[in-house]
Amino acid sequence: MRGPLFTKKHVPRSIYTMSKAVELLRKAEFTHGAQLFSQLPEDTGLEVAFAGRSNAGKSSALNAITQRRALARTSRTPGRTQQINFFMLDEERHLVDLPGYGYAKVSHKLKQQWDKTLDRYLQERQALQGLVLIMDVRHPLKEFDCQLLAWATTSGMPVHILLTKADKLTRNKAIGVLQSVRHRLEQDYPVATIQLFSATKGTGVDEAQALLGKWLKIDES
Ligand code: GDP
């Protein structure tokens, strides 16, 4: 019978050492949902918010980044997508899941109310360190994405784009999209950085985790 490739003694150390950022991201717990601006938790500490059109893959990206399979529910359970959801990493740090934009089945009135809450959150939140913008690699830079990028550029708010579902394209095609969107960003929205991502295949998860570690000032010393 064949023995294991690694006995415990021989496992390379790197397999066991996890960065502090990953360690903390894995601790994410849902703590708070707000539908109105007045329901937001206290504006202290550091937070990074995830935004994107409905169905772009935001919940899947949050789950992959925190390595928690069911942290953020998928778009098929609308209740959770109608509010700003807070996930605590520690006393000082949060991830924030913003309402998916363009969810079809809500009334005009409710949509207006969200837009107002979202607007105020983006404009007033002191804890907000940056935005992770989720775009399906097959449908990048839709109207809402561009609106958010334009706002971030004028406000100097850092944005990092995840081009999700990269596994749906060949590697060459995905790189082609990455390059053309990057070119457009350099011209119009220089505040933004970008990477390929796949929650299904795990592509780009480590890069996104490292960025969150930096934005949330998770000490790696
Ligand atoms: P949300 O509405 O932005 O939160 O999107 P979800 O995370 O719920 O994903 C929408 C759909 O896309 C679901 O059917 C997911 O399984 C699928 N999906 C999300 N991320 C990926 C990915 O990286 N690869 C593939 N192939 N499908 C994905």
Side-chain angles (χ1 to χ4, degrees), residues 53-60 74-76 165 167-168 198-200:
R53 280 158 47 85
S54 297
N55 213 40
K58 180 158 56 70
S59 308
S60 306
T74 66
S75 51
R76 270 166 284 177
K165 310 192 193 181
D167 58 285
K168 296 257 192 191
S198 164
T200 312

Side-chain angles (χ1 to χ4, degrees), residues 69-126:
R69 241 185 320 160
L71 187 76
R73 293 183 204 162
T74 66
S75 51
R76 270 166 284 177
T77 53
R80 261 301 233 332
T81 64
Q82 293 171 12
Q83 47 187 23
I84 299 182
N85 290 314
F86 285 78
F87 301 93
M88 186 168 104
L89 305 180
D90 64 15
E91 293 293 321
E92 304 269 285
R93 299 175 177 89
H94 289 85
L95 297 181
V96 181
D97 186 6
L98 299 176
Y101 186 85
Y103 185 71
K105 289 184 191 146
V106 299
S107 70
H108 182 64
K109 192 164 163 236
L110 193 57
K111 189 178 166 316
Q112 277 186 326
Q113 178 198 303
W114 289 354
D115 286 353
K116 233 189 269 164
T117 305
L118 191 59
D119 239 44
R120 278 193 72 185
Y121 172 82
L122 290 174
Q123 285 183 36
E124 297 178 26
R125 194 78 176 169
Q126 294 300 310

Side-chain angles (χ1 to χ4, degrees), residues 136-177:
D136 186 322
V137 70
R138 298 163 302 172
H139 313 287
L141 296 173
K142 294 283 188 192
E143 191 186 344
F144 166 72
D145 305 323
C146 293
Q147 271 174 25
L148 199 64
L149 284 163
W151 170 82
T153 303
T154 50
S155 331
M157 175 65 70
V159 179
H160 185 67
I161 296 171
L162 303 183
L163 284 177
T164 54
K165 310 192 193 181
D167 58 285
K168 296 257 192 191
L169 298 180
T170 63
R171 174 115 187 106
N172 275 349
K173 277 212 172 126
I175 289 173
V177 176

Side-chain angles (χ1 to χ4, degrees), residues 43-49 92-94 96 121-122 125-132 151 156-160 191 211-217:
D43 189 1
T44 58
L46 306 172
E47 63 200 34
V48 172
E92 304 269 285
R93 299 175 177 89
H94 289 85
V96 181
Y121 172 82
L122 290 174
R125 194 78 176 169
Q126 294 300 310
L128 186 61
Q129 303 300 299
L131 289 170
V132 176
W151 170 82
M157 175 65 70
V159 179
H160 185 67
V191 79
L211 177 100
L212 290 174
K214 204 169 97 188
W215 278 1
L216 292 169
K217 299 186 173 59

Side-chain angles (χ1 to χ4, degrees), residues 162-195:
L162 303 183
L163 284 177
T164 54
K165 310 192 193 181
D167 58 285
K168 296 257 192 191
L169 298 180
T170 63
R171 174 115 187 106
N172 275 349
K173 277 212 172 126
I175 289 173
V177 176
L178 176 68
Q179 285 170 341
S180 77
V181 177
R182 187 175 274 150
H183 184 66
R184 172 85 190 278
L185 295 174
E186 280 163 7
Q187 288 185 330
D188 295 341
Y189 312 113
V191 79
T193 52
I194 189 165
Q195 66 162 102

